[in-house]
Amino acid sequence: MNYHIIINSVKTVDELPGSWSNQDLVELLDRFGFPDASNSNPAELKELLNMAISDFEPAEAAAILLDYRLSETLNERQIDQMSHDMLLDKISEEYPEIGLHHQLFNINQLLHKAYNGTFPSAKATIAELEISNEGDDAEEITKEIVLKALQHTLKDSNLIKRLFSDHLEGKVKFEEANSIIWVLRKIEGGQYQLITSEYWIARDEFIEAEFDAEVILFEEDESED
């Protein structure tokens, strides 16, 4: 399948808007010893949480946040270990289970701001693009299709191109695409917003702003069934 892509904007951010709802902030304030936060001014909840977090030891605060967001995925031992590792490493980039990177980024950046840089800072990339396929066999635009299209404008040094070359060429099923792209949101028409880690795609790795791309989807070998 052939696609035409236009990159309208790419920006680097250190925090993702909407990553913590007001209800999240209220529940976290309770966990950090600030009850009845629901009666507070919603506009002040984030600042109150930052102050409440900073009253705890960094690793202890990290464990509380990890438990809140990832207790269904990580056990107590893993949370304890990670709460200490986060002080030294960018866990949202280095943790081997990439499906957790999105939430680890949000947790890390909350801690980074609350402790004024004690935790390493990570970055995210937000790109807005147009992607179109005029053919009758046009597929629904998925994270896999977007990554396979974007490979044609990313530098050869890009990590995705180096680690997943066979996946990008359709030789191997590309399940990791759903974890590499954190959010793929349709804006209008053929316009989409993509959010991922700078670790995977950095702003300076885009070569062309408008290009054509052939996308080859992986096909299961039915003879193996």
Side-chain angles (χ1 to χ4, degrees):
M1 291 178 291
N2 295 308
Y3 291 87
H4 185 72
I5 296 92
I6 302 173
I7 309 295
N8 291 320
S9 68
V10 183
K11 62 181 179 180
T12 304
V13 298
D14 61 7
E15 184 178 12
L16 296 176
S19 53
W20 302 97
S21 68
N22 282 348
Q23 185 58 40
D24 286 327
L25 300 177
V26 168
E27 291 186 28
L28 284 171
L29 278 163
D30 184 66
R31 293 193 182 203
F32 281 99
F34 192 100
D36 302 322
S38 57
N39 297 323
S40 302
N41 183 340
E44 298 175 352
L45 289 174
K46 192 70 172 291
E47 184 178 352
L48 288 172
L49 180 58
N50 283 339
M51 290 189 293
I53 288 175
S54 64
D55 285 337
F56 287 70
E57 290 297 319
E60 184 181 4
I64 292 172
L65 289 170
L66 288 166
D67 179 74
Y68 178 73
R69 271 282 164 93
L70 297 173
S71 60
E72 294 184 1
T73 305
L74 302 174
N75 60 41
E76 187 175 342
R77 180 186 59 79
Q78 289 172 314
I79 288 174
D80 180 65
Q81 181 64 52
M82 192 180 293
S83 68
H84 290 85
D85 291 344
M86 291 180 74
L87 284 158
L88 304 173
D89 304 312
K90 293 183 181 181
I91 295 298
S92 63
E93 297 178 358
E94 300 176 14
Y95 195 67
E97 190 173 336
I98 64 175
L100 300 184
H101 284 194
H102 185 190
Q103 291 304 331
L104 289 174
F105 173 85
N106 291 330
I107 292 168
N108 183 86
Q109 293 311 102
L110 186 55
L111 291 165
H112 173 75
K113 292 181 181 295
Y115 288 100
N116 296 315
T118 298
F119 288 81
S121 182
K123 304 287 185 182
T125 298
I126 300 179
E128 293 191 358
L129 57 108
E130 298 174 37
I131 180 167
S132 58
N133 179 351
E134 302 298 334
D136 294 333
D137 60 343
E139 296 273 349
E140 177 186 358
I141 301 301
T142 63
K143 294 178 180 181
E144 176 186 4
I145 287 175
V146 169
L147 284 182
K148 288 182 174 182
L150 287 180
Q151 70 167 312
H152 295 279
T153 192
L154 295 175
K155 294 180 179 178
D156 289 340
S157 58
N158 172 264
L159 188 60
I160 302 170
K161 295 180 73 170
R162 290 191 284 116
L163 292 182
F164 300 102
S165 58
D166 286 345
H167 303 67
L168 291 170
E169 297 302 327
K171 299 175 183 178
V172 178
K173 194 171 184 179
F174 199 3
E175 296 177 339
E176 294 86 352
N178 289 319
S179 296
I180 292 172
I181 293 183
W182 295 346
V183 176
L184 182 63
R185 180 182 297 119
K186 189 171 185 178
I187 303 174
E188 59 180 354
Q191 299 184 65
Y192 292 82
Q193 182 187 69
L194 173 159
I195 302 176
T196 185
S197 171
E198 184 185 50
Y199 174 74
W200 293 116
I201 302 177
R203 186 175 184 275
D204 62 4
E205 291 182 314
F206 289 86
I207 299 172
E208 296 179 328
E210 184 170 356
F211 56 97
D212 293 310
E214 181 182 9
V215 170
I216 302 174
L217 297 178
F218 174 74
E219 294 186 6
E220 298 279 0
D221 187 350
E222 295 182 1
S223 65
E224 296 181 358
D225 296 338

